[in-house]
Amino acid sequence: MNIKSLLLGSAAALIAVSGARAADAVVVAEPEPAEYVKICDVYGAGYFYIPGTETCLRIGGYVRYDIGVGDSGSFDGVNHVQDHQNANDDHSTYYKNTRFTLKTWTGQETELGTLKTYTETRFNYGNSSGDYEDSASTDWTSRNKSLSLRFAWIQLGGLRVGKDDTAFDTFIGYAGNVIQDTLVPYGGQESNVVQYYFDAGNGFSGMVSLEEGAGVVGTIDSYVPHVVGGLKYKGDWGAITGVVAYDSNYEEVAGKVRLDVKATNELSLFIMAGYGTDDNLTDDANNAIDAHGRGFYKQWGGNWAIWGGGTYKFNDKTSFNAQISYDDWKNLGIAANVAYTVVPGFTVTAEVDYLNAGKFDDVDFNNWTKANKKSSVGGILRFQRSF
């Protein structure tokens, strides 16, 4: 009986302990509240608040695929590529480039005004257009090309610092809505900058920009920066804008004036004229670094150049874009395309380009587009998914 009593007592104890543990197991901790991303509509569509901050962030970009054919002087062709089997033969082939571009925007309101940033990074894979006759270059081959930090700037109120395109282009506007808009170039692009933008009200605005330039010809060689200034008047009908730039390397001045007109709801037109001094830019006999007549700002041939064109929207999906350009060296560029939006965010553009190199047969010919003949024709087909 003592053994039986002991076993029954042990079983009762085990049941009591098990019951206590079972009671403890059903206690569930309260879940912490989830923190959802909040939409920020202060700066437009696509922004959201970075959790735990008052900063609004937007992420975007595009994936692009280009296919070009034709003459190298149109920027669309790859000419005189060595045949793999026959040393005495060569061919033309496609120009192809795939690009992934990642963009970010941020915005935040402060007691000193809106604090903004913008970045744009580009990744490229493909070959390079050009004429490869008697050339050791292998740039006609497909490869991973440049990784480019295209833009990276900070702006507080009207003050902007960082990497941007020169205000000689951004403030007045690039040329037409064509792919090859620099058959006759209209100014340098990438640069580190310190800029100030101001809004005078009633449609008037202006800016001043101190710039470093880029490249061997364009990058400043002292503590003296390049200087760009501009004024703009904008109305419901369009805008008129002027910019002037001082090239501190060659001590030359260039300027552009542009008129934009909204002719109808479907048709928009522009015309832009440029003029620049070039005595030092053309002084190859005495310059330590020869510019061959083309500086960072006055990149067109000779003293003057003109660009004009427009866009006609047939409907919400289809538009026609055209541009004609001409300079003092008798370079004539014509580009025209049709852009079709297949679905929102996906656009296909087909373009035809023409260049007549006015001084092609002259001894002092400066070959901007790497043309291999006086008249060049090419075409390019672009697929782009923007997000």
Side-chain angles (χ1 to χ4, degrees), residues 202-204 231-242 257-271:
N202 298 317
F204 289 94
L231 292 172
K232 176 183 292 184
Y233 175 75
K234 187 175 182 179
D236 294 337
W237 52 270
I240 183 167
T241 314
V257 176
R258 175 175 178 141
L259 176 65
D260 291 278
V261 177
K262 298 178 182 177
T264 66
N265 291 333
E266 296 80 18
L267 178 63
S268 59
L269 302 169
F270 84 95
I271 186 167

Side-chain angles (χ1 to χ4, degrees), residues 232-362:
K232 176 183 292 184
Y233 175 75
K234 187 175 182 179
D236 294 337
W237 52 270
I240 183 167
T241 314
V243 290
V244 62
Y246 172 71
D247 184 331
S248 69
N249 287 343
Y250 295 92
E251 299 179 332
E252 301 286 9
V253 176
K256 293 185 293 188
V257 176
R258 175 175 178 141
L259 176 65
D260 291 278
V261 177
K262 298 178 182 177
T264 66
N265 291 333
E266 296 80 18
L267 178 63
S268 59
L269 302 169
F270 84 95
I271 186 167
M272 181 168 68
Y275 183 86
T277 61
D278 65 353
D279 289 346
N280 295 326
L281 291 172
T282 57
D283 191 10
D284 290 353
N286 295 308
N287 286 333
I289 298 177
D290 294 336
H292 307 299
R294 299 184 190 269
F296 184 65
Y297 298 104
K298 193 210 72 65
Q299 290 188 344
W300 54 87
N303 293 117
W304 58 267
I306 190 167
W307 304 261
T311 295
Y312 184 82
K313 294 184 178 181
F314 294 100
N315 49 51
D316 291 340
K317 285 180 169 287
T318 310
S319 63
F320 173 74
N321 306 285
Q323 176 184 305
I324 300 175
S325 50
Y326 189 76
D327 67 20
D328 196 11
W329 284 352
K330 300 180 181 180
N331 295 304
L332 171 65
I334 301 174
N337 68 48
V338 174
Y340 179 73
T341 301
V342 181
V343 294
F346 179 44
T347 301
V348 179
T349 304
E351 178 167 304
V352 176
D353 304 299
Y354 171 78
L355 173 78
N356 183 272
K359 301 183 71 175
F360 183 80
D361 297 319
D362 295 353

Side-chain angles (χ1 to χ4, degrees), residues 2 21 187 211 216 266 268:
N2 291 335
R21 290 183 177 174
E211 304 186 347
V216 175
E266 296 80 18
S268 59

Side-chain angles (χ1 to χ4, degrees), residues 46-65:
Y47 284 86
F48 59 89
Y49 285 100
I50 299 174
T53 75
E54 295 300 317
T55 299
C56 298
L57 170 65
R58 176 186 168 195
I59 300 172
Y62 61 82
V63 176
R64 172 188 293 173
Y65 182 56

